[in-house]
Amino acid sequence: MPRIRPAKALAATAAIALATAACTGTPDAPKASDDATKDTTIIFWYGWSAPSEVAAIEADVKAFEAAHPNIHVKAVGNINDDKIKQALRAGGPNAPDVVSSFSSANVGAFCKSNVLTDLKPFLDKSGIDLDKTFPKAIQDYTQYQGKRCTLPLLADTYGLHYNKDAFRAAGITAPPKTFSEFEAVAKKLTKPTADGYTQLGFMPNFHGYTSTLLLYGYQFGLKYFDDQGKANASRDPRFTQLFTTQKKLVDELGGYAKLEKYRTTFGDQYGAKNPLHTGQVAMSFDGEWRAGMAKEAGIKFDLGVAPMPVPDDQADTYGRGGLSGTIVGIASTSQKQNAAWELVKFITTDTDAVVNFANAIHNVPSTLDALKSPKFATDPAMSVFLDVAQNKDSISPPATPNGDAYLLTLQDVGYRYESGTIKDLPAALKKADEQIDKDIAQTR
């Protein structure tokens, strides 16, 4: 799980994707001619840095080396995307053979610029059937325009975390399934004071950690681009439905200014003082890792988890969500691509390897077999996320050659609309579409 806040994550991946997609002179991918049965050493870069995460990676690598005693792996952690981008462009003997990135938003840029090699020949050679191996949404976010230059290395999805004690005190017997139910529950759980709250049902503002456009968008089933690849926000009525639903909730829970003032009292998103942990909010959208963090923080209430709500006119999609996650690929400059493939294949498709890693870092397994494995340490909270990951209506954000830039543009509309700065939402969405199309055209 990337330990960065959503707004910062969007900005970082957009900038990196723009730089990667814009690079020229990338060398042609060398043919995979190395003998993977000979003694060799490959370099693997990854982003995890916490001691428990590093230990989990090292255990995965150790298991791989036991199964492939001739292939030695030099694993290097705490590598950010900017350094990966530079190394992929430069190549050389010290460059990585295998890289992983926390951001699936980078896939479009990585694939388009050919800095990661096409994995289809390797998949075909190994007889791996994607449809029998990975959920569809996970397949979607690891390819760009039919080119698969990455595979998934665990997944993230999101759900509604809620304070069961607060629910019982308010006489609420079940988590809300639709946004009209969610609005009613959020209002019932809110205890305002003159200048704040003793308890807020939900922080709806787009700056409220994971109450982002992206997460709301998963539930509304937004179609960001039409079939011709043109930005679609001004023509898909679900965008207007999302923004007006969110704005109504902001207004009914006290208004933008009051909510923003209250938000400044929140502790760190990934720390013990997260507002859900402290009881400042009674409900939160968050990832599969939240239950474990809440337990570590020593919360004094009973925490519940359920799928996030859906629009009332899409009630039959309840249980859906969004998926993204860590991606892994082979550097196109690597002279050891066959050996590198053996590592990529092992960590992404070996059921025990995927399950053990998911258990260690509390993420969602990324293969169908691992999702069903009896070795996966499920609990009632995690089972919700496993169901979301396999739900037929779950989606992933579309890949573009400039990463999450389109989300930044649309989220800016959200910031200004919820605050009351934007009065004409249709005009703002049309202008956003024009900007998104212009930004993508500049990367071609």
Side-chain angles (χ1 to χ4, degrees), residues 27-97:
D28 292 332
K31 293 181 179 179
S33 58
D34 61 300
D35 186 347
T37 66
K38 297 289 182 67
D39 195 76
T40 189
T41 298
I42 58 175
I43 300 172
F44 172 35
W45 281 7
Y46 62 90
W48 286 282
S49 60
S52 60
E53 296 167 339
V54 172
I57 282 283
E58 290 177 347
D60 235 11
V61 168
K62 185 176 180 180
F64 168 77
E65 291 179 329
H68 302 78
N70 64 295
I71 303 176
H72 314 287
V73 180
K74 181 181 178 181
V76 185
N78 199 22
I79 303 293
N80 62 37
D81 283 346
D82 187 50
K83 188 169 182 178
I84 287 174
K85 178 253 300 183
Q86 294 173 18
L88 291 176
R89 291 174 61 188
N94 296 318
D97 300 289

